[in-house]
């Protein structure tokens, strides 16, 4: 992960952040419980329909998330595979192929949320200038937890459907939300 960024309290930086839950996986389609499940045939078609340009794409290392980006028409200036964006580990399909079976605790997931938020801040600061847009490609359960972590005063997460890109508002460091939907302010 990137090291912490220290910015003056009056520094304002607004960067649109979007969230994409991976396209339909074989687990979503028919309960495939093998580790690191791929996209289903329907998921492959969903991924191919995605498009747009983002300055930065931060992607889960899980096969279904990477396949979503690889098959899409999404373009980007920079892409990072971010281990912390993986799904909350609760069922076997949430394990990477090389991992032993384990179950993630709520506090471990919260630590990952904090790390992702710090990375967002670092990437937003590095991308200042122009009009950078950031896309997070991750998973339903982790996306919900990340949203709640970033928006403690309004924990109602938008519906995270497979292969849907939604604005992902992030609370400012001062505890105030940007007036514009999907913006990070004060980072």
């Amino acid at each position: 992960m990137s090291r912490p960024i220290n910015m003056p309290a009056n520094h304002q930086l607004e960067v649109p952040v979007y969230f994409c839950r991976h396209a339909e996986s074989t687990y979503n389609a028919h309960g495939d419980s093998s580790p690191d499940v791929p996209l289903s045939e329907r998921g492959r078609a969903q991924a191919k329909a995605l498009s747009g340009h983002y300055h930065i794409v931060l992607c889960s290392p899980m096969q279904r998330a990477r396949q979503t980006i690889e098959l899409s028409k999404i373009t980007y200036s920079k892409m990072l595979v971010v281990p912390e964006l993986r799904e909350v580990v609760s069922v076997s399909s949430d394990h990477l192929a090389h991992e032993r079976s384990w179950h993630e605790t709520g506090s471990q997931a919260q630590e990952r949320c904090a790390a992702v938020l710090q990375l967002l801040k670092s990437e937003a600061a590095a991308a200042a200038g122009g009009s950078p847009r950031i896309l997070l490609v991750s998973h339903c359960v982790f996306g919900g937890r990340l949203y709640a972590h970033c928006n403690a005063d309004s924990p109602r997460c938008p519906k995270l459907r497979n292969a849907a890109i939604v604005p992902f508002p992030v609370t400012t460091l001062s505890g105030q939300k940007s007036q514009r939907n999907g913006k990070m302010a004060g980072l």
Side-chain angles (χ1 to χ4, degrees), residues 21-34 37-46 64 93 162:
R21 178 183 176 193
H22 61 79
E24 182 185 81
S25 69
T26 56
Y27 176 81
N28 299 139
H30 43 72
D32 178 1
S33 62
S34 54
V37 294
L39 295 180
S40 67
E41 284 306 312
R42 179 175 178 217
R44 295 174 75 76
Q46 289 173 333
R64 55 198 182 265
S93 63
N162 289 115

Side-chain angles (χ1 to χ4, degrees), residues 45-120:
Q46 289 173 333
K48 289 175 183 177
L50 291 173
S51 63
H53 180 75
Y54 299 88
H55 184 268
I56 303 165
V57 173
L58 304 177
C59 185
S60 161
M62 307 297 297
Q63 179 177 205
R64 55 198 182 265
R66 289 182 293 111
Q67 286 179 336
T68 297
I69 286 296
E70 290 165 2
L71 294 171
S72 76
K73 295 177 192 89
I74 291 172
T75 59
Y76 47 85
S77 302
K78 177 181 180 180
M79 185 174 115
L80 299 173
V81 175
V82 180
E84 290 82 0
L85 282 171
R86 70 179 295 161
E87 181 59 291
V88 174
V89 182
S90 60
V91 296
S92 56
S93 63
D94 297 332
H95 289 93
L96 293 169
H98 65 277
E99 289 179 323
R100 294 183 337 178
S101 182
W102 64 290
H103 183 81
E104 186 171 30
T105 66
S107 62
Q108 288 171 322
Q110 282 303 103
E111 287 174 15
R112 288 197 296 121
C113 289
V116 169
L117 182 57
Q118 183 59 47
L119 179 61
L120 277 171

Side-chain angles (χ1 to χ4, degrees), residues 156-167:
R156 187 179 171 124
C157 183
K159 184 76 172 166
L160 301 177
R161 292 189 167 92
N162 289 115
I165 298 174
V166 298

Side-chain angles (χ1 to χ4, degrees), residues 1-7 114-115 117-123 125-126:
M1 292 279 32
S2 301
R3 61 188 178 97
I5 298 290
N6 295 317
M7 294 183 164
L117 182 57
Q118 183 59 47
L119 179 61
L120 277 171
K121 292 174 191 177
S122 297
E123 290 299 324

Side-chain angles (χ1 to χ4, degrees), residues 109-161:
Q110 282 303 103
E111 287 174 15
R112 288 197 296 121
C113 289
V116 169
L117 182 57
Q118 183 59 47
L119 179 61
L120 277 171
K121 292 174 191 177
S122 297
E123 290 299 324
S131 57
R133 294 169 12 131
I134 297 176
L135 177 65
L136 305 174
V137 182
S138 188
H139 309 269
C140 186
V141 177
F142 185 73
R145 288 192 182 201
L146 181 61
Y147 182 89
H149 181 84
C150 295
N151 297 284
D153 59 331
S154 176
R156 187 179 171 124
C157 183
K159 184 76 172 166
L160 301 177
R161 292 189 167 92

